[in-house]
Amino acid sequence: MASATKLSGGHSSSVLCVDVNGQSGLVASGGEDGELCLWSSDGELIKKISRPGSDCTSVVFSKENAKLLYAAFGSQIHLFDVDNFENPTFSFQANTEEVNQILLDPKEHFLAACDDAGEIKIYGLQDKKLFKTLRFKHTNICSSVAFRTNKQMEIVSGGLDCRMVHWDFSKPKCLNQFNMQELHATPGESAYMINPPFIHHLTTSPDGLTFAGALENGQIPIFSATHKNIRSQYALFGHNQGVSQVHFFDNSKLISAGNDFKIVVWDLSKSNLYEPHAVYMNGDSESTASSPLEEKYLAITELCRVQTISHPYKVNWMVPFGPDDNKKLYVADQSSDISIISLQ
């Protein structure tokens, strides 16, 4: 059974993002009205700053230096030292519209920031300057980015134009792109059919061999990156409303959260157990297959689903943290609290 505790008393309205420092256990959370909170590993509020006029939309700790925290406010990205939290030590200011996500590459040579203009700015962290701008492929808001772990100069972006774009940002050039409206069939007369497949979030497995997406139509597309070119594999149909977040625990364990007030744990390794003529239960999937492909994806959904957790609010952001025998999920949602869910 999943159990939850809360970090309370920091935010005055909805919490939009959260991250956990892998070395110190510190927690950072950003919210509406420019609120940024820093919490101790035992859940005490250490510091809070407010930058009214723009929301704090994304936070990420450095894995190499436990004292460094990056946070996006509007179109600006600020670098903070957690020991001197009142004022940023540096600010990146090349984005022209609100930043939706910031992300460090695994070696922390670069920081990526995607924004409402449909652009991705790549900043060099050594010289703290703009390295490249990726543009003209997204026709709407760019909502998420994910670095390709084993390819230092490659990144994947997703947006509200339903497109996932694979870039070589050193050139820069587009290597490939996927239109989610064309990628997977939609099962039945369900939310999958009604809602457009906007991409809200992208994530990659630690080994860089698998990508997953969170779509507004309730689907979770899974991509293989075992070859030079990223390839579509299948889709999971575990949510009946929009999916807001997807994160990997390890190379096969995935967790997703949706606007249906559900958090779902998946084991993608079980997709290999699919047999075309076997009979599978549809569980709580609110659809019936109308094609062999849909039938396959519904079957894989049932094979891979490990656990479904009810959550009282729609999830804005989440991050898994801790060792396998004590895995916790930090959840930022539409409330003013951060939930800590034990997944044991």
Side-chain angles (χ1 to χ4, degrees):
M1 274 299 281
S3 59
T5 57
K6 293 184 183 295
L7 303 181
S8 301
H11 291 275
S12 58
S13 55
S14 182
V15 186
L16 301 177
C17 54
V18 63
D19 196 25
V20 185
N21 189 310
Q23 298 179 49
S24 65
L26 290 176
V27 179
S29 57
E32 294 178 350
D33 302 319
E35 294 181 340
L36 175 64
C37 294
L38 188 67
W39 311 79
S40 69
S41 57
D42 56 5
E44 295 297 318
L45 180 64
I46 301 173
K47 296 171 184 173
K48 175 182 175 179
I49 62 172
S50 295
R51 292 178 167 266
S54 58
D55 296 337
C56 181
T57 54
S58 187
V59 290
V60 60
F61 280 106
S62 166
K63 290 182 173 62
E64 294 193 346
N65 185 337
K67 294 184 180 296
L68 298 185
L69 172 70
Y70 299 84
F73 295 83
S75 62
Q76 296 187 346
I77 301 139
H78 298 311
L79 173 60
F80 293 92
D81 184 323
V82 297
D83 292 334
N84 182 21
F85 202 57
E86 285 68 29
N87 295 297
T89 60
F90 189 82
S91 297
F92 299 92
Q93 304 186 58
N95 291 83
T96 57
E97 295 193 26
E98 183 174 73
V99 172
N100 296 305
Q101 184 188 0
I102 55 176
L103 189 67
L104 299 169
D105 82 293
K107 295 184 178 180
E108 297 197 15
H109 293 165
F110 301 101
L111 181 144
C114 59
D115 61 31
D116 280 359
E119 296 183 351
I120 304 102
K121 301 291 185 180
I122 308 291
Y123 296 96
L125 296 183
Q126 269 71 37
D127 59 7
K128 292 187 171 63
K129 294 181 179 179
L130 179 67
F131 178 70
K132 296 290 180 182
T133 297
L134 310 180
R135 55 162 66 106
F136 304 132
K137 291 301 178 183
H138 288 292
T139 59
N140 204 323
I141 290 168
C142 185
S143 49
S144 187
V145 286
F147 283 99
R148 192 171 180 186
T149 305
N150 297 325
K151 303 283 186 179
Q152 187 179 359
M153 293 294 183
E154 294 184 20
I155 197 168
V156 173
S157 61
L160 302 194
D161 55 1
C162 307
R163 293 187 178 275
M164 186 178 96
V165 183
H166 177 199
W167 307 84
D168 178 338
F169 64 83
S170 66
K171 302 231 180 331
K173 71 174 183 178
C174 169
L175 300 176
N176 197 9
Q177 55 184 310
F178 300 87
N179 185 342
M180 298 299 146
Q181 293 173 303
E182 301 169 355
L183 196 59
H184 296 302
T186 51
E189 297 296 326
S190 68
Y192 304 115
M193 182 73 76
I194 297 167
N195 297 323
F198 300 150
I199 301 173
H200 292 308
H201 190 227
L202 294 168
T203 190
T204 183
S205 58
D207 63 8
L209 301 182
T210 309
F211 281 88
L215 303 188
E216 175 61 26
N217 67 356
Q219 293 185 21
I220 302 166
I222 305 297
F223 298 85
S224 169
T226 56
H227 298 83
K228 180 180 178 180
N229 294 318
I230 296 171
R231 302 176 182 181
S232 172
Q233 283 191 298
Y234 55 86
L236 300 169
F237 294 150
H239 294 274
N240 51 39
Q241 292 187 41
V243 187
S244 56
Q245 285 277 286
V246 281
H247 290 271
F248 278 95
F249 287 150
D250 56 33
N251 293 327
S252 62
K253 294 283 178 31
L254 180 74
I255 192 158
S256 62
N259 295 336
D260 55 359
F261 306 96
K262 292 177 184 175
I263 296 170
V264 183
V265 181
W266 307 90
D267 183 352
L268 303 188
S269 67
K270 293 183 178 179
S271 64
N272 296 328
L273 301 176
Y274 171 72
E275 297 177 10
H277 301 296
V279 177
Y280 299 92
M281 297 296 292
N282 279 344
D284 60 0
S285 296
E286 294 186 357
S287 54
T288 55
S290 58
S291 75
L293 190 61
E294 291 170 21
E295 186 175 321
K296 175 182 178 180
Y297 293 164
L298 286 168
I300 291 175
T301 295
E302 297 312 313
L303 286 167
C304 293
R305 180 164 30 206
V306 174
Q307 184 182 13
T308 301
I309 302 163
S310 295
H311 191 71
Y313 301 97
K314 294 180 180 179
V315 173
N316 292 324
W317 204 267
M318 62 184 184
V319 58
F321 179 75
D324 290 342
D325 60 352
N326 189 27
K327 189 70 72 179
K328 297 183 184 301
L329 187 69
Y330 288 72
V331 179
D333 55 37
Q334 293 181 319
S335 75
S336 59
D337 300 328
I338 296 132
S339 296
I340 307 174
I341 301 173
S342 174
L343 296 172
Q344 304 311 307

